Amino acid sequence: MKTRHAATEPGPVFRIGLALLLFAITAGLALALLAEPVAPGVAGQVEAALGDSGAKNHVTAVLLNFRGYDTLLELAVLTSALVGVWALGVAPDIKETTPSPVLLGMNSVLIPLAPLFCAYLLWAGASRPGGAFQAGAVLAAAAVLYNISCRRPELRLPSAPLRPGIVIGLGVFIATGFGVMGGGRAFMEYPAGLAGGLILLIETAATLSIALILASLFVGGRPEGEP
Amino acid sequence: MNTGQALDLLLVLVLLWVAWAALSSRDLFRCIVLFIAFGLVLSMAWVRLGAPDVALAEAAIGAGLAGALLLATWARLPGKTEDSKLDAKGEDDED
Amino acid sequence: MSEWLAGAPWMMLAIMLPLSGALVAFLLPRHSALVGLGASLLTACAALVVMLQVAADGRQAYRLGGWPAPLGIELVADGLSVLMLAMTAVVGVAVSVYARVYLADSPDKVRRFWPLWLFLWAALNALFQAGDAFNLYVTLELMGLSAVALVALSGSGPALWGAMRYLLVSLLGSLSYLVGVALLYHAYGTLDLALLSERADGGLQLAVPLGAMIAGLLLKTGLFPFHVWLPPAHGSARAPVSALLSGLVVKASFYLLLRLWFTFTPEGQGVPLLLGSLGAAAIFWGSIQALRQKRLKLLVAYSTVAQLGYLFIAFPLAELEPALAWSGSVYLALSHAMAKGAMFLAAGSIMTQGGHDEIDELDRVVERMPLTLAAFALAGISLAGLPPSGGFVGKWMLLQAAMTQGSWFWALVIIVGGLLTATYVFRVLGFAFTKSPHEHERHDVPATMEWTALVLALGAVLLGFAAPWALPLLEGVLP
Amino acid sequence: MSSGILFACGGLGLLAIGIWALVLRAHLIRKVLAINVMGSGAFLLLVGAGSMGEAGVDPVPQAMVITGIVVAISATALALALVLRLANATGKPALPEDRERDLMDSEER
């Protein structure tokens, strides 16, 4: 076994060549990094426009208002990954297992806490660290914990509301973008007074979708019976 | 060099070491656990860089869910005999 | 009403229509074909309106969220963007019509095809109109993931590992691009391409990130010697998917490469010469591999490797004849999209008919499906660059650019590549007229499939006549 | 804050480690790990370079990194689902040209 492997493994010449190449690439990137910047970033402009953005947290303002289009496409990436995983086949099953009592005990505390923590992150995201993606991930983590500590390992989400739940985040994002367009405003140009509320609406829907998508990605395939 | 910078240097070195270990260990399970540790060290780096939002996202998604996904895939690979390791190590995603 | 229509933000709609269509198609799996076809037609209309607007009024921009460029993200459409949008619309509609019939035998596959394809279309349209370096990264990833999932849709072993390798290459390419974006933002403090073009002053600060971005895009475009992932992925996917990948997806990363090149107009002759040489190597290597293939779809996939090489011949020629060389390259990309799309669709019809795609077992397929063979032959005419096809216009411009500056080497490469193309096309046609010693199963092929391929191939040939209208669009875009 | 440069250089190191492993490791899960390490390197470069100046913390690179993290988990999930199908179809979690190579699996030893 060993000898056959040895014959097909990349040889020392290849490794040395690769190491030299990587050294050259890293050195080149480092040189560009150390050069004096020509112009400062847009931090100042973010600060100046923060009042109109509907969020006090700079990062949330960038993510959901100034560069909200990036975030919209990013949700599309997440959704398309799930569609791709579902297209690959039905979820593989894990063999039934007996989880440790410690895990079960911890879960009985952690899983009920997760929605609370999620709601906090979502609400805090406007002014303090937090936001839709973190909140959605926490919710998904709770689902994953439930999934692996359950005696029946399959995450039996009822399949009928699953699809609407998966698309609602992106759907609300796009619909809000169109909805604000009256009165000469552009796509996703939130009116100053409404921006805070609209961002919270988008984030809430996104949180739900992100949680469902991440949990479904963990399941690793489409539920039995889904087309 | 003040204390903060010394701490940062240490953090970067640990980060590089954990990354290297996660990619070169012979035991795939160990690799994945080290990768989760890598995500947690990285989220400390985000805190040091003044990016708490990124730190939260990294810990929850980069370390937690990615780790859970990797462990689940590892456990489902054909030729596995002990599936229980998945459950034993599943707690890593509770951040 | 017409005023409102003219004032509607078509650039944004060309992205949001397919995106919404993907969501609805995913939400209503039982009606996905209907939703998908409807969304395809609407998207194509939006793209064509954007083209008409740019043809009438020149460069268009749209501020998303109403924020101006360095803070927000702007969509930008100029002549190059709209030609790509139109190419995507034409090939996209043809593939949509074809796929609805082609996949009809497996309803589940139809349901999975439409959302992914509409995500891919949204990503393509977003990429062609993006004016922001980081936004381009997100569109690249959306394009990559949906394309990979489409390859894997076929479910066969080769398709799965083709998809896996494609995914790894695609991610590596995007990450390389992202490193470039990070360094650009660090140096110039903006992500907006127009502002970057003003601020970029050359030197290491520009050369290193640009190198990283170009390297990543070459990987994704599949230029020799980075092409190894391409034939397995394109050859093993279902026929409509292969048409999309070979026709459109590789063009998108090539478009981005051109866009960066035009934005930053890097100086020096070494890189253009290197790209041109790799292009020449791709032409020869791809053609020779195509000649050696036993399976029709792999032949067509290797032909893509070869034809992509032509697009890069423009880099060394643009030194002295920028207008001719770049227009030729862009025109070749357009006509290759249509011709290669038609070829893969024809190959799909042949596979449906005979249940296989062994070239030397084609068994007088011409008698049973003359339309499909006509489509294949017409597409071959455009690929080989015979008049009056779109391929002829493109190659002729490249040839002219080479001759006027006396670069006989490049002229020779262009001519020999055309001969090699003709050879592998005729090899297929020859077997299509020959009786095979073995008996094969025969299935009926719906007329829609045959006609779609034929119309697309005719389009590739007639594209030659559109040159006087299409080429002026590029004025002001080329450096 | 001069630590930015430190983290940015750390990011470059992660990129190099990631490429090294991506090329040399045959097991597909290791390749996926390598891509993720590379991605983290690119993110560290983005934020690290963004906080090198005196202007304070720039939120734009941070927003880009959050976007990047979500894109990375999407790609990872798709990749892992593919790895699993591939391993079930062919018996080995490796690309065809790497099947004979040392996958560094515990049962391979």
Side-chain angles (χ1 to χ4, degrees):
Chain A
M1 204 75 174
K2 264 255 141 34
T3 47
R4 200 186 52 175
H5 282 154
T8 47
E9 287 301 303
V13 179
F14 182 80
R15 280 162 191 267
I16 292 170
L18 182 66
L20 288 177
L21 180 71
L22 286 179
F23 180 75
I25 292 175
T26 313
L29 292 173
L31 281 179
L33 184 70
L34 294 175
E36 195 57 33
V38 174
V42 293
Q45 291 166 42
V46 172
E47 189 69 54
L50 195 65
D52 300 328
S53 72
K56 289 195 197 72
N57 177 349
H58 293 65
V59 179
T60 305
V62 174
L63 269 178
L64 281 141
N65 202 337
F66 305 137
R67 296 183 68 88
Y69 173 59
D70 269 349
T71 310
L72 192 153
L73 285 185
E74 163 203 355
L75 265 181
V77 173
L78 192 60
T79 315
S80 77
L82 179 70
V83 177
V85 169
W86 277 22
L88 278 173
V90 292
D93 14 282
I94 320 176
K95 285 185 205 92
E96 283 207 11
T97 50
T98 33
S100 70
V102 183
L103 182 63
L104 284 178
M106 245 170 49
N107 284 350
S108 59
V109 181
L110 282 177
I111 293 176
L113 275 180
L116 270 179
F117 188 40
C118 161
Y120 166 76
L121 279 176
L122 189 58
W123 170 76
S127 52
R128 279 186 293 271
F133 292 103
Q134 296 89 342
V138 167
L139 212 53
V144 167
L145 274 181
Y146 174 77
N147 189 16
I148 55 179
S149 62
C150 204
R151 270 192 177 274
R152 299 183 55 185
E154 196 85 3
L155 184 64
R156 297 273 179 209
L157 285 169
S159 64
L162 194 52
R163 278 178 193 251
I166 283 166
V167 299
I168 194 171
L170 194 48
V172 167
F173 213 147
I174 296 176
T176 317
F178 279 114
V180 296
M181 272 178 73
R185 274 185 298 271
F187 183 70
M188 299 173 74
E189 182 173 352
Y190 311 129
L194 290 175
L198 289 176
I199 287 179
L200 192 62
L201 171 74
I202 294 169
E203 285 209 291
T204 311
T207 302
L208 182 65
S209 286
I210 291 164
L212 276 175
I213 294 174
L214 289 174
S216 308
L217 285 176
F218 175 79
V219 172
R222 62 178 178 275
E224 206 84 47
E226 282 286 305
Chain B
M1 187 184 262
N2 56 34
T3 338
Q5 281 173 326
L7 190 68
D8 288 343
L9 183 63
L10 187 68
L11 199 54
V12 168
L13 291 178
V14 170
L15 197 61
L16 289 171
W17 180 78
V18 175
W20 176 255
L23 292 176
S24 52
S25 166
R26 279 201 71 85
D27 181 1
L28 190 56
F29 179 74
R30 204 178 131 86
C31 286
I32 296 172
V33 173
L34 280 168
F35 178 76
I36 295 167
F38 169 78
L40 294 175
V41 178
L42 186 57
S43 67
M44 281 198 269
W46 294 130
V47 174
R48 289 292 305 161
L49 277 164
D53 297 83
V54 184
L56 272 173
E58 182 73 48
I61 303 179
L65 279 162
L69 260 169
L70 284 160
L71 285 173
T73 311
W74 174 83
R76 289 165 187 166
L77 280 179
K80 277 279 158 328
T81 44
E82 314 169 80
D83 285 43
S84 52
K85 271 192 179 175
L86 171 68
D87 298 286
K89 299 289 168 184
E91 307 101 295
D92 294 287
D93 47 57
E94 70 215 6
D95 308 285
Chain C
M1 184 70 185
S2 65
E3 221 168 274
W4 180 82
L5 273 181
W10 291 104
M11 293 172 61
M12 176 273 287
L13 286 174
I15 301 164
M16 289 305 148
L17 282 174
L19 204 54
S20 315
L23 289 185
V24 179
F26 177 70
L27 194 59
L28 307 170
R30 279 168 230 302
H31 307 285
S32 62
L34 194 68
V35 172
L37 212 54
S40 303
L41 292 175
L42 286 175
T43 308
C45 288
L48 293 178
V49 175
V50 175
M51 180 163 80
L52 293 177
Q53 282 178 336
V54 170
D57 306 328
R59 185 178 184 273
Q60 308 271 316
Y62 186 77
R63 284 180 185 174
L64 288 156
W67 301 103
L71 182 59
I73 302 175
E74 284 190 14
L75 295 180
V76 175
D78 58 13
L80 182 58
S81 316
V82 294
L83 284 181
M84 294 289 149
L85 284 180
M87 164 188 95
T88 310
V90 172
V91 178
V93 167
V95 169
S96 298
V97 171
Y98 183 95
R100 202 181 70 85
V101 185
Y102 179 81
L103 296 170
D105 56 335
S106 50
D108 279 354
K109 288 227 165 90
V110 184
R111 287 167 192 162
R112 290 164 213 155
F113 170 80
W114 284 106
L116 289 171
W117 158 219
L118 289 170
F119 273 125
L120 177 63
W121 200 339
L124 288 168
N125 282 358
L127 193 149
F128 294 139
Q129 301 182 92
D132 183 281
F134 183 74
N135 186 244
L136 278 164
Y137 165 74
V138 185
T139 63
L140 274 179
E141 291 285 26
L142 181 58
M143 179 178 90
L145 291 195
S146 45
V148 167
L150 280 169
V151 174
L153 201 60
S154 121
S156 66
L160 285 179
W161 64 258
M164 186 73 225
R165 198 198 312 240
Y166 183 24
L167 178 59
L168 291 175
V169 166
S170 170
L171 290 175
L172 184 60
S174 318
L175 277 178
S176 183
Y177 176 85
L178 182 63
V179 168
V181 172
L183 289 176
L184 277 183
Y185 184 74
H186 169 59
Y188 302 110
T190 181
L191 295 161
D192 184 63
L193 287 182
L195 272 174
L196 276 174
S197 147
E198 280 172 28
R199 291 183 191 171
D201 51 353
L204 263 185
Q205 268 165 313
L206 179 62
V208 171
L210 200 57
M213 291 160 111
I214 288 181
L217 292 171
L218 287 180
L219 200 60
K220 282 171 99 81
T221 311
L223 177 65
F224 181 91
F226 303 125
H227 68 281
V228 280
W229 60 268
L230 192 151
H234 290 197
S236 61
R238 304 296 300 263
V241 175
S242 307
L244 293 174
L245 295 181
S246 255
L248 303 177
V249 174
V250 285
K251 301 305 182 323
S253 42
F254 177 72
Y255 157 83
L256 184 47
L257 215 152
L258 277 192
R259 175 65 69 197
L260 293 177
W261 197 269
F262 295 169
T263 304
F264 296 107
T265 52
E267 286 167 9
Q269 300 180 336
V271 176
L273 197 64
L274 177 68
L275 291 177
S277 314
L278 291 180
I283 293 176
F284 289 117
W285 179 253
S287 301
I288 289 166
Q289 288 298 316
L291 277 168
R292 292 181 52 200
Q293 293 308 309
K294 290 198 164 59
R295 283 188 43 217
L296 182 57
K297 281 183 70 185
L298 276 175
L299 180 146
V300 184
Y302 270 105
S303 154
T304 299
V305 173
Q307 301 298 321
L308 285 173
Y310 272 106
L311 307 181
F312 289 89
I313 298 271
F315 283 85
L317 294 179
E319 200 76 40
L320 296 172
E321 290 283 347
L324 266 179
W326 294 128
S327 316
S329 178
V330 171
Y331 219 70
L332 264 185
L334 299 181
S335 76
H336 178 256
M338 293 171 80
K340 194 46 66 75
M343 242 183 199
F344 266 121
L345 296 186
S349 304
I350 291 173
M351 271 186 92
T352 308
Q353 192 271 338
H356 73 97
D357 72 338
E358 300 285 329
I359 295 168
D360 44 11
E361 296 285 328
L362 281 177
D363 195 15
R364 305 177 77 167
V365 71
V366 65
E367 287 174 8
R368 297 186 295 279
M369 21 188 10
L371 290 178
T372 297
L373 254 290
F376 195 92
L378 285 174
I381 284 177
S382 186
L383 281 191
L386 299 177
S389 64
F392 167 73
V393 174
K395 283 188 186 171
W396 181 246
M397 281 192 283
L398 284 180
L399 204 57
Q400 263 185 306
M403 306 272 250
T404 41
Q405 50 188 281
S407 315
W408 300 108
F409 171 72
W410 298 115
L412 196 70
V413 168
I414 295 167
I415 292 170
V416 174
L419 290 177
L420 285 170
T421 312
T423 317
Y424 60 69
V425 171
F426 276 113
R427 179 169 159 241
V428 175
L429 292 179
F431 279 110
F433 281 92
T434 320
K435 187 159 170 41
S436 125
H438 307 100
E439 279 297 310
H440 288 286
E441 49 180 324
R442 282 170 197 180
H443 305 278
D444 285 334
V445 175
T448 321
M449 279 165 60
E450 294 210 58
W451 278 104
T452 339
L454 185 62
V455 169
L456 200 53
L458 265 177
V461 172
L462 296 180
L463 191 65
F465 296 109
W469 188 82
L471 287 176
L473 279 174
L474 287 174
E475 278 168 22
V477 181
L478 308 178
Chain D
M1 185 152 147
S2 58
S3 286
I5 181 77
L6 202 60
F7 285 107
C9 288
L12 293 183
L14 290 180
L15 277 170
I17 293 177
I19 301 178
W20 175 266
L22 181 68
V23 175
L24 288 180
R25 303 284 176 258
H27 197 297
L28 281 172
I29 290 189
R30 285 170 210 268
K31 284 192 193 282
V32 174
L33 286 179
I35 290 269
N36 271 295
V37 167
M38 278 183 68
S40 303
F43 301 155
L44 214 47
L45 181 65
L46 252 172
V47 175
S51 59
M52 271 163 70
E54 282 79 45
V57 180
D58 187 345
V60 174
Q62 297 187 18
M64 292 197 276
V65 168
I66 292 181
T67 303
I69 288 175
V70 177
V71 168
I73 186 90
S74 313
T76 306
L78 185 61
L80 290 177
L82 263 172
V83 171
L84 206 53
R85 304 286 155 193
L86 208 60
N88 284 330
T90 63
K92 283 212 170 180
L95 291 172
E97 67 269 25
D98 292 337
R99 291 224 178 97
E100 298 300 306
R101 283 178 55 190
D102 180 8
L103 294 183
M104 310 202 336
D105 240 349
S106 8
E107 59 265 292
E108 281 283 304
R109 266 182 284 182

